[in-house]
Amino acid sequence: MQKRILIVEDEAAIRDMVAFAVRKGEYEPVLAADAREAQAAVADRVPDLILLDWMLPGTSGIELARRWRKDQITRDVPIIMLTARGEENDRVNGLEAGVDDYVVKPFSARELLARIRAVLRRSSDDEPDGSVEVGRLRIDGAGHRVYAGDQQLQIGPTEYRLLHFFMTHAERVYSRSQLLDHIWGGNVYVEERTVDVHIRRLRKTLTPFGAEDMIQTVRGAGYRFSASPIG
């Protein structure tokens, strides 16, 4: 079955161009011009990936991404932001809103398809199997759920992969570049700053459960996951 990709873009010419590229990549495009149409499309059938324009009429793409990340139905759906905003702060804001990747306009069909394939690969083929438990944290690999004690955590797909990697490689220090290779893949260009953004988001997720200190910053080296306090 073809992967279903929701394209949320208010400019018809760009929307049609993106849809053409998606079909060329042998995916099924679903089109939406604004947040209302996007929500209706998701309600009809949850897509495998969302291409989301930053600047939308009414509700912005950033607001929509935050809304979907809080929704149980869409929180694990990968989102690629389509944006004319290429500045670092804008990209960081997108990542902090729960976006998995971004493509800066203007972009080629080839670049867009490469991003789509990379994100889909990270969210499916590279998804870790099995369960692991470290301290109070436990991952149910089969159910793709994270628990602190008996409480289930609400966690995004990238943070899930990051936490799973940390928990299966506890007590070892990894640099930002090493984490990029393991979590995002060495053949995908992602800035090292991206690691810091997702570390902050993961710590924020763990904070209500008193587990944020398990992700430790090792000055000048990178990050380490440990059930032992920093000494």
Side-chain angles (χ1 to χ4, degrees), residues 166 172-179 195-196 199 203 215-225:
F166 272 141
R172 296 175 59 182
V173 177
Y174 288 90
S175 68
R176 291 172 177 81
S177 61
Q178 288 174 322
L179 289 172
V195 174
D196 298 329
I199 289 289
R203 281 175 171 158
I215 301 175
Q216 302 169 1
T217 301
V218 181
R219 190 178 299 276
Y223 295 101
R224 171 180 58 219
F225 186 87

Side-chain angles (χ1 to χ4, degrees), residues 46-50 68-69 73-79 98 100 157:
V46 178
D48 296 287
L49 182 142
I50 299 171
W68 280 331
R69 283 294 172 253
I73 296 174
T74 52
R75 65 185 177 89
D76 292 331
V77 178
I79 299 174
D100 295 272

